[in-house]
Amino acid sequence: MAALRYRRFLKVCEEWPVDETRRGRDLGAFLRQRVAQAFKEGESTQIQDLEACDQMYESLSRLNSNYYREKEPRIVHGTPCVV
């Protein structure tokens, strides 16, 4: 099961953009670093809290897919604002 979770996190990392102008404070780079720390042994890593791992993946996936931007669009002067 850890292999599936590892691959899912890698997919999120691949899709998450890295902004080279924000060195040291880029969320994409930070995400890659944390995934590398959490899965030190790759697919064979033993995950202690599977539920927390799945919740973290779902949260990152929703952020990456702009779920909240589409769910709660900003309204500016009566019309939806696309930023």
Side-chain angles (χ1 to χ4, degrees), residues 1 17 21 26-30 42 44-46 49-50 57 60-62 66 73 79 82:
M1 289 303 268
T21 63
D26 181 54
L27 186 57
F30 177 76
S44 62
T45 301
Q46 296 296 317
D49 191 354
L50 297 175
Y57 168 76
L60 290 171
S61 181
R62 283 191 300 266
N66 290 322
T79 60
V82 178

PDB file of all heavy atoms in Angstrom, residues 1 17 21 26-30 42 44-46 49-50 57 60-62 66 73 79 82:
ATOM      1  N   MET A   1       0.808  -1.196   0.000  1.00  0.00           N
ATOM      2  CA  MET A   1       0.000   0.000   0.000  1.00  0.00           C
ATOM      3  C   MET A   1       0.856   1.268   0.000  1.00  0.00           C
ATOM      4  O   MET A   1       0.431   2.276  -0.492  1.00  0.00           O
ATOM      5  CB  MET A   1      -0.931   0.005   1.213  1.00  0.00           C
ATOM      6  CG  MET A   1      -2.045  -1.018   1.119  1.00  0.00           C
ATOM      7  SD  MET A   1      -3.044  -0.828  -0.336  1.00  0.00           S
ATOM      8  CE  MET A   1      -4.308   0.242   0.274  1.00  0.00           C
ATOM      9  N   PRO A  17       3.895  23.260  -9.710  1.00  0.00           N
ATOM     10  CA  PRO A  17       4.944  24.074 -10.345  1.00  0.00           C
ATOM     11  C   PRO A  17       6.010  24.516  -9.354  1.00  0.00           C
ATOM     12  O   PRO A  17       5.743  24.684  -8.162  1.00  0.00           O
ATOM     13  CB  PRO A  17       4.170  25.288 -10.872  1.00  0.00           C
ATOM     14  CG  PRO A  17       2.968  25.384 -10.007  1.00  0.00           C
ATOM     15  CD  PRO A  17       2.630  23.974  -9.607  1.00  0.00           C
ATOM     16  N   THR A  21      12.262  31.723  -9.142  1.00  0.00           N
ATOM     17  CA  THR A  21      12.525  33.058  -8.605  1.00  0.00           C
ATOM     18  C   THR A  21      12.261  33.120  -7.104  1.00  0.00           C
ATOM     19  O   THR A  21      12.609  34.101  -6.465  1.00  0.00           O
ATOM     20  CB  THR A  21      11.653  34.119  -9.304  1.00  0.00           C
ATOM     21  OG1 THR A  21      10.267  33.841  -9.046  1.00  0.00           O
ATOM     22  CG2 THR A  21      11.912  34.124 -10.802  1.00  0.00           C
ATOM     23  N   ASP A  26       9.735  28.581  -1.951  1.00  0.00           N
ATOM     24  CA  ASP A  26       8.786  28.074  -2.936  1.00  0.00           C
ATOM     25  C   ASP A  26       8.057  26.855  -2.390  1.00  0.00           C
ATOM     26  O   ASP A  26       8.683  25.916  -1.891  1.00  0.00           O
ATOM     27  CB  ASP A  26       9.517  27.715  -4.230  1.00  0.00           C
ATOM     28  CG  ASP A  26       8.566  27.215  -5.287  1.00  0.00           C
ATOM     29  OD1 ASP A  26       7.593  27.929  -5.587  1.00  0.00           O
ATOM     30  OD2 ASP A  26       8.779  26.100  -5.790  1.00  0.00           O
ATOM     31  N   LEU A  27       6.738  26.860  -2.494  1.00  0.00           N
ATOM     32  CA  LEU A  27       5.940  25.761  -1.963  1.00  0.00           C
ATOM     33  C   LEU A  27       6.191  24.458  -2.724  1.00  0.00           C
ATOM     34  O   LEU A  27       6.236  23.382  -2.126  1.00  0.00           O
ATOM     35  CB  LEU A  27       4.457  26.127  -2.002  1.00  0.00           C
ATOM     36  CG  LEU A  27       3.510  25.140  -1.344  1.00  0.00           C
ATOM     37  CD1 LEU A  27       3.883  24.915   0.108  1.00  0.00           C
ATOM     38  CD2 LEU A  27       2.084  25.640  -1.451  1.00  0.00           C
ATOM     39  N   GLY A  28       6.370  24.532  -4.037  1.00  0.00           N
ATOM     40  CA  GLY A  28       6.635  23.326  -4.825  1.00  0.00           C
ATOM     41  C   GLY A  28       7.928  22.645  -4.417  1.00  0.00           C
ATOM     42  O   GLY A  28       7.987  21.422  -4.271  1.00  0.00           O
ATOM     43  N   ALA A  29       8.966  23.434  -4.199  1.00  0.00           N
ATOM     44  CA  ALA A  29      10.254  22.875  -3.766  1.00  0.00           C
ATOM     45  C   ALA A  29      10.142  22.307  -2.353  1.00  0.00           C
ATOM     46  O   ALA A  29      10.686  21.240  -2.057  1.00  0.00           O
ATOM     47  CB  ALA A  29      11.332  23.950  -3.821  1.00  0.00           C
ATOM     48  N   PHE A  30       9.412  23.002  -1.482  1.00  0.00           N
ATOM     49  CA  PHE A  30       9.217  22.523  -0.122  1.00  0.00           C
ATOM     50  C   PHE A  30       8.461  21.201  -0.117  1.00  0.00           C
ATOM     51  O   PHE A  30       8.805  20.273   0.609  1.00  0.00           O
ATOM     52  CB  PHE A  30       8.468  23.574   0.704  1.00  0.00           C
ATOM     53  CG  PHE A  30       8.175  23.132   2.099  1.00  0.00           C
ATOM     54  CD1 PHE A  30       9.177  23.125   3.052  1.00  0.00           C
ATOM     55  CD2 PHE A  30       6.907  22.724   2.460  1.00  0.00           C
ATOM     56  CE1 PHE A  30       8.916  22.709   4.357  1.00  0.00           C
ATOM     57  CE2 PHE A  30       6.637  22.312   3.749  1.00  0.00           C
ATOM     58  CZ  PHE A  30       7.641  22.310   4.695  1.00  0.00           C
ATOM     59  N   GLY A  42      11.560   5.105  -0.478  1.00  0.00           N
ATOM     60  CA  GLY A  42      10.769   4.997  -1.695  1.00  0.00           C
ATOM     61  C   GLY A  42       9.499   4.199  -1.478  1.00  0.00           C
ATOM     62  O   GLY A  42       8.786   4.391  -0.500  1.00  0.00           O
ATOM     63  N   SER A  44       9.082   1.211  -0.585  1.00  0.00           N
ATOM     64  CA  SER A  44       9.114   0.255   0.521  1.00  0.00           C
ATOM     65  C   SER A  44       9.057   0.930   1.899  1.00  0.00           C
ATOM     66  O   SER A  44       9.223   0.268   2.917  1.00  0.00           O
ATOM     67  CB  SER A  44      10.364  -0.614   0.424  1.00  0.00           C
ATOM     68  OG  SER A  44      11.516   0.189   0.522  1.00  0.00           O
ATOM     69  N   THR A  45       8.787   2.228   1.931  1.00  0.00           N
ATOM     70  CA  THR A  45       8.676   2.950   3.192  1.00  0.00           C
ATOM     71  C   THR A  45       7.475   2.457   3.983  1.00  0.00           C
ATOM     72  O   THR A  45       6.399   2.246   3.430  1.00  0.00           O
ATOM     73  CB  THR A  45       8.527   4.466   2.931  1.00  0.00           C
ATOM     74  OG1 THR A  45       9.656   4.928   2.210  1.00  0.00           O
ATOM     75  CG2 THR A  45       8.401   5.242   4.219  1.00  0.00           C
ATOM     76  N   GLN A  46       7.662   2.264   5.270  1.00  0.00           N
ATOM     77  CA  GLN A  46       6.567   1.872   6.157  1.00  0.00           C
ATOM     78  C   GLN A  46       5.885   3.140   6.666  1.00  0.00           C
ATOM     79  O   GLN A  46       6.519   3.982   7.286  1.00  0.00           O
ATOM     80  CB  GLN A  46       7.099   1.055   7.341  1.00  0.00           C
ATOM     81  CG  GLN A  46       7.724  -0.259   6.935  1.00  0.00           C
ATOM     82  CD  GLN A  46       6.717  -1.195   6.299  1.00  0.00           C
ATOM     83  OE1 GLN A  46       5.595  -1.319   6.772  1.00  0.00           O
ATOM     84  NE2 GLN A  46       7.120  -1.839   5.224  1.00  0.00           N
ATOM     85  N   ASP A  49       0.927   6.224  10.016  1.00  0.00           N
ATOM     86  CA  ASP A  49      -0.455   6.687  10.098  1.00  0.00           C
ATOM     87  C   ASP A  49      -1.032   6.814   8.691  1.00  0.00           C
ATOM     88  O   ASP A  49      -0.892   7.840   8.033  1.00  0.00           O
ATOM     89  CB  ASP A  49      -0.513   8.027  10.835  1.00  0.00           C
ATOM     90  CG  ASP A  49      -1.918   8.448  11.187  1.00  0.00           C
ATOM     91  OD1 ASP A  49      -2.868   7.759  10.765  1.00  0.00           O
ATOM     92  OD2 ASP A  49      -2.067   9.460  11.888  1.00  0.00           O
ATOM     93  N   LEU A  50      -1.677   5.757   8.219  1.00  0.00           N
ATOM     94  CA  LEU A  50      -2.204   5.730   6.860  1.00  0.00           C
ATOM     95  C   LEU A  50      -3.301   6.768   6.649  1.00  0.00           C
ATOM     96  O   LEU A  50      -3.375   7.392   5.587  1.00  0.00           O
ATOM     97  CB  LEU A  50      -2.742   4.336   6.537  1.00  0.00           C
ATOM     98  CG  LEU A  50      -1.718   3.211   6.539  1.00  0.00           C
ATOM     99  CD1 LEU A  50      -2.403   1.874   6.315  1.00  0.00           C
ATOM    100  CD2 LEU A  50      -0.660   3.456   5.486  1.00  0.00           C
ATOM    101  N   TYR A  57      -2.544  13.809   1.333  1.00  0.00           N
ATOM    102  CA  TYR A  57      -2.579  13.695  -0.122  1.00  0.00           C
ATOM    103  C   TYR A  57      -3.833  14.363  -0.689  1.00  0.00           C
ATOM    104  O   TYR A  57      -3.753  15.118  -1.659  1.00  0.00           O
ATOM    105  CB  TYR A  57      -2.523  12.234  -0.569  1.00  0.00           C
ATOM    106  CG  TYR A  57      -2.854  12.101  -2.025  1.00  0.00           C
ATOM    107  CD1 TYR A  57      -1.927  12.442  -2.984  1.00  0.00           C
ATOM    108  CD2 TYR A  57      -4.124  11.698  -2.436  1.00  0.00           C
ATOM    109  CE1 TYR A  57      -2.245  12.376  -4.342  1.00  0.00           C
ATOM    110  CE2 TYR A  57      -4.441  11.629  -3.775  1.00  0.00           C
ATOM    111  CZ  TYR A  57      -3.497  11.969  -4.723  1.00  0.00           C
ATOM    112  OH  TYR A  57      -3.823  11.920  -6.052  1.00  0.00           O
ATOM    113  N   LEU A  60      -3.519  18.202  -0.563  1.00  0.00           N
ATOM    114  CA  LEU A  60      -2.606  18.713  -1.591  1.00  0.00           C
ATOM    115  C   LEU A  60      -3.207  18.580  -2.984  1.00  0.00           C
ATOM    116  O   LEU A  60      -3.056  19.470  -3.817  1.00  0.00           O
ATOM    117  CB  LEU A  60      -1.271  17.972  -1.518  1.00  0.00           C
ATOM    118  CG  LEU A  60      -0.413  18.281  -0.309  1.00  0.00           C
ATOM    119  CD1 LEU A  60       0.773  17.321  -0.257  1.00  0.00           C
ATOM    120  CD2 LEU A  60       0.054  19.717  -0.325  1.00  0.00           C
ATOM    121  N   SER A  61      -3.905  17.493  -3.219  1.00  0.00           N
ATOM    122  CA  SER A  61      -4.526  17.273  -4.512  1.00  0.00           C
ATOM    123  C   SER A  61      -5.609  18.320  -4.783  1.00  0.00           C
ATOM    124  O   SER A  61      -5.715  18.846  -5.895  1.00  0.00           O
ATOM    125  CB  SER A  61      -5.117  15.868  -4.567  1.00  0.00           C
ATOM    126  OG  SER A  61      -5.692  15.630  -5.816  1.00  0.00           O
ATOM    127  N   ARG A  62      -6.414  18.631  -3.766  1.00  0.00           N
ATOM    128  CA  ARG A  62      -7.455  19.654  -3.937  1.00  0.00           C
ATOM    129  C   ARG A  62      -6.829  21.022  -4.193  1.00  0.00           C
ATOM    130  O   ARG A  62      -7.315  21.787  -5.027  1.00  0.00           O
ATOM    131  CB  ARG A  62      -8.363  19.697  -2.713  1.00  0.00           C
ATOM    132  CG  ARG A  62      -9.365  18.564  -2.684  1.00  0.00           C
ATOM    133  CD  ARG A  62     -10.409  18.782  -1.619  1.00  0.00           C
ATOM    134  NE  ARG A  62      -9.836  18.883  -0.280  1.00  0.00           N
ATOM    135  CZ  ARG A  62      -9.705  17.878   0.563  1.00  0.00           C
ATOM    136  NH1 ARG A  62     -10.090  16.663   0.212  1.00  0.00           N
ATOM    137  NH2 ARG A  62      -9.173  18.068   1.754  1.00  0.00           N
ATOM    138  N   ASN A  66      -7.046  23.338  -7.972  1.00  0.00           N
ATOM    139  CA  ASN A  66      -7.840  24.562  -7.827  1.00  0.00           C
ATOM    140  C   ASN A  66      -9.274  24.280  -7.405  1.00  0.00           C
ATOM    141  O   ASN A  66     -10.194  25.007  -7.771  1.00  0.00           O
ATOM    142  CB  ASN A  66      -7.824  25.392  -9.112  1.00  0.00           C
ATOM    143  CG  ASN A  66      -6.492  26.021  -9.370  1.00  0.00           C
ATOM    144  OD1 ASN A  66      -5.832  26.469  -8.442  1.00  0.00           O
ATOM    145  ND2 ASN A  66      -6.080  26.042 -10.616  1.00  0.00           N
ATOM    146  N   PRO A  73     -15.690  30.994  -6.007  1.00  0.00           N
ATOM    147  CA  PRO A  73     -15.102  32.045  -6.849  1.00  0.00           C
ATOM    148  C   PRO A  73     -15.230  33.420  -6.183  1.00  0.00           C
ATOM    149  O   PRO A  73     -16.175  33.683  -5.450  1.00  0.00           O
ATOM    150  CB  PRO A  73     -15.925  31.981  -8.133  1.00  0.00           C
ATOM    151  CG  PRO A  73     -17.207  31.345  -7.732  1.00  0.00           C
ATOM    152  CD  PRO A  73     -16.894  30.426  -6.590  1.00  0.00           C
ATOM    153  N   THR A  79     -19.582  40.353 -10.591  1.00  0.00           N
ATOM    154  CA  THR A  79     -19.202  39.328 -11.562  1.00  0.00           C
ATOM    155  C   THR A  79     -18.056  38.485 -10.996  1.00  0.00           C
ATOM    156  O   THR A  79     -17.228  39.000 -10.257  1.00  0.00           O
ATOM    157  CB  THR A  79     -18.745  39.949 -12.907  1.00  0.00           C
ATOM    158  OG1 THR A  79     -17.621  40.781 -12.665  1.00  0.00           O
ATOM    159  CG2 THR A  79     -19.855  40.757 -13.541  1.00  0.00           C
ATOM    160  N   VAL A  82     -11.671  36.149 -12.314  1.00  0.00           N
ATOM    161  CA  VAL A  82     -10.689  35.120 -12.634  1.00  0.00           C
ATOM    162  C   VAL A  82      -9.324  35.720 -12.448  1.00  0.00           C
ATOM    163  O   VAL A  82      -8.930  36.651 -13.129  1.00  0.00           O
ATOM    164  CB  VAL A  82     -10.875  34.600 -14.083  1.00  0.00           C
ATOM    165  CG1 VAL A  82      -9.814  33.573 -14.390  1.00  0.00           C
ATOM    166  CG2 VAL A  82     -12.265  34.077 -14.279  1.00  0.00           C
TER     167      VAL A  82
END
